[in-house]
Amino acid sequence: ILTCDWSSDVCSSDLIDECESVSVKRKVTTIRITDSQIAEAKQNHEESLGIRIIHNKKISSAQTTILDNFKNTIDDALELSNLTKSKPFWKSLPQEFQQIQLEGIFDKKLEIITGTEASDIAQLMIDSTKNPKINSISGALNVVSEEFTIANSNNLSCKDVATYISGTINADSNEGSIPVSGIGQASCRTLDNFSPEQIGEDAKNMCVNSDRKSTRLNSSHMSESRMP
């Protein structure tokens, strides 16, 4: 993570008046559902760095996911600054801030969730969708935790963390006169407010009820076609 000291060091040369760095660390757990079963479970750790540079009121930026080579990102931003026009309105990067703590946007349970635990949640989504009239269930579960850090050459530095969980289920049926489907979806910042069973129920009810409606509509159409 880049710090205020780092940003100050970058700006110590005559090439840069001000600079700002933004670091985002993200852990993404994905469970993919195909053919009414869990087809894939994976967990990725991602990290990216963005750098903004201001010199002579010219603003340029660059981003990288190769953190060991961030100095090249600085060079890229400097090179881009030669192609930009100065911004007369520019004053300065922030020098102070008031951080507001928002409740309910971070859940430690989601931050440390394992692939097995996420798979169990996805299985609850599948089980609650099952119905004799449903032929196929597909969808996905995503669990994300991220850490956002920002620092600049004016000795400002802050960090925040957040989590969310999102699930989607698609239920398909070929049992009626025409194929029908239903979908269930939900997203939450905390695990306690997330109901995998409700997602499955929503998809199942939409699919089954669509099948009933299509059957009634088809029967009505056939009756009308037989009328003299």
Side-chain angles (χ1 to χ4, degrees):
I1 298 173
L2 301 185
T3 64
C4 294
D5 292 338
W6 179 90
S7 299
S8 298
D9 291 341
V10 171
C11 294
S12 61
S13 68
D14 294 334
L15 295 176
I16 303 172
D17 293 333
E18 294 181 294
C19 66
E20 181 178 63
S21 62
V22 174
S23 170
V24 180
K25 292 182 178 180
R26 183 179 290 111
K27 184 179 78 171
V28 182
T29 303
T30 300
I31 311 298
R32 187 167 58 87
I33 301 168
T34 305
D35 297 328
S36 305
Q37 61 183 352
I38 294 175
E40 180 185 29
K42 62 181 180 180
Q43 194 170 79
N44 294 328
H45 293 262
E46 308 167 357
E47 188 169 0
S48 61
L49 171 68
I51 295 174
R52 182 165 61 156
I53 289 174
I54 300 95
H55 187 65
N56 292 331
K57 294 186 179 292
K58 291 183 177 182
I59 304 171
S60 60
S61 61
Q63 181 178 347
T64 183
T65 56
I66 307 175
L67 304 187
D68 293 337
N69 204 17
F70 66 84
K71 290 186 178 180
N72 285 350
T73 307
I74 299 173
D75 293 337
D76 291 341
L78 283 171
E79 184 176 349
L80 289 172
S81 68
N82 295 326
L83 306 175
T84 61
K85 295 182 179 180
S86 62
K87 306 296 189 296
F89 62 83
W90 182 261
K91 293 183 179 180
S92 173
L93 288 170
Q95 299 183 19
E96 58 183 17
F97 75 103
Q98 182 178 1
Q99 187 167 0
I100 300 175
Q101 187 68 36
L102 299 177
E103 299 295 333
I105 64 170
F106 175 77
D107 187 351
K108 188 67 177 181
K109 296 177 184 177
L110 293 179
E111 182 189 38
I112 64 175
I113 196 169
T114 65
T116 300
E117 292 169 336
S119 296
D120 290 341
I121 295 173
Q123 190 62 51
L124 290 175
M125 292 165 52
I126 297 172
D127 293 342
S128 59
T129 311
K130 290 180 178 178
N131 184 279
K133 293 185 177 182
I134 294 177
N135 305 111
S136 178
I137 301 170
S138 60
L141 176 74
N142 291 289
V143 183
V144 178
S145 63
E146 56 187 4
E147 178 183 285
F148 179 93
T149 304
I150 184 169
N152 69 25
S153 52
N154 292 331
N155 293 320
L156 182 148
S157 179
C158 61
K159 180 174 70 174
D160 203 1
V161 291
T163 56
Y164 70 86
I165 179 171
S166 177
T168 303
I169 283 288
N170 294 284
D172 298 294
S173 174
N174 297 315
E175 298 297 320
S177 56
I178 59 173
V180 294
S181 62
I183 186 171
Q185 193 277 335
S187 298
C188 292
R189 287 287 189 175
T190 60
L191 183 59
D192 290 343
N193 290 325
F194 183 78
S195 174
E197 295 90 349
Q198 188 61 54
I199 295 174
E201 286 289 336
D202 290 345
K204 176 176 65 178
N205 292 337
M206 183 182 293
C207 182
V208 172
N209 291 336
S210 296
D211 179 56
R212 291 172 182 170
K213 290 179 181 179
S214 65
T215 300
R216 288 198 298 269
L217 289 173
N218 187 60
S219 298
S220 175
H221 175 73
M222 292 180 62
S223 298
E224 291 175 357
S225 64
R226 292 173 183 171
M227 292 178 65

